[in-house]
Amino acid sequence: LDTVLSINPDDKSILEQLAMHYYRETDYRRSLEYYNRLVDLEPNKIEYLYQQSSIHFFLGEFREALEACERAL
């Protein structure tokens, strides 16, 4: 997937797959990198903001988690 992403770095379906893969592997920092990129591409997509918020929460970054939730509203 990283190879495909290097060809098209804004491919949302690949970014989503990578973000979820690392989330399931509990590599939250790496997952967050991909969710941040997705939010940059679609800043109002609730699903991305929710995932961003939950990852920040798991990492103990409560202010960032709240900010992501507020952007989702």
Side-chain angles (χ1 to χ4, degrees), residues 40-68:
D40 287 343
L41 294 171
E42 285 194 58
N44 297 318
K45 187 155 184 174
I46 303 266
E47 293 87 351
Y48 300 157
L49 293 167
Y50 169 78
Q51 287 300 115
Q52 223 182 18
S53 175
S54 68
I55 292 169
H56 281 300
F57 182 83
F58 289 138
L59 293 171
E61 299 169 349
F62 303 117
R63 180 180 306 265
E64 291 87 347
L66 181 59
E67 288 170 359

Side-chain angles (χ1 to χ4, degrees), residues 4-16:
V4 174
L5 196 58
S6 69
I7 296 167
N8 185 3
D10 293 337
D11 186 322
K12 288 182 281 196
S13 67
I14 300 297
L15 290 168
E16 287 175 5

Side-chain angles (χ1 to χ4, degrees), residues 26-39:
T26 66
D27 187 347
Y28 298 125
R29 287 268 174 230
R30 190 96 187 258
S31 179
L32 186 59
E33 290 175 25
Y34 290 106
Y35 277 114
N36 288 341
R37 289 174 65 182
L38 286 161
V39 168

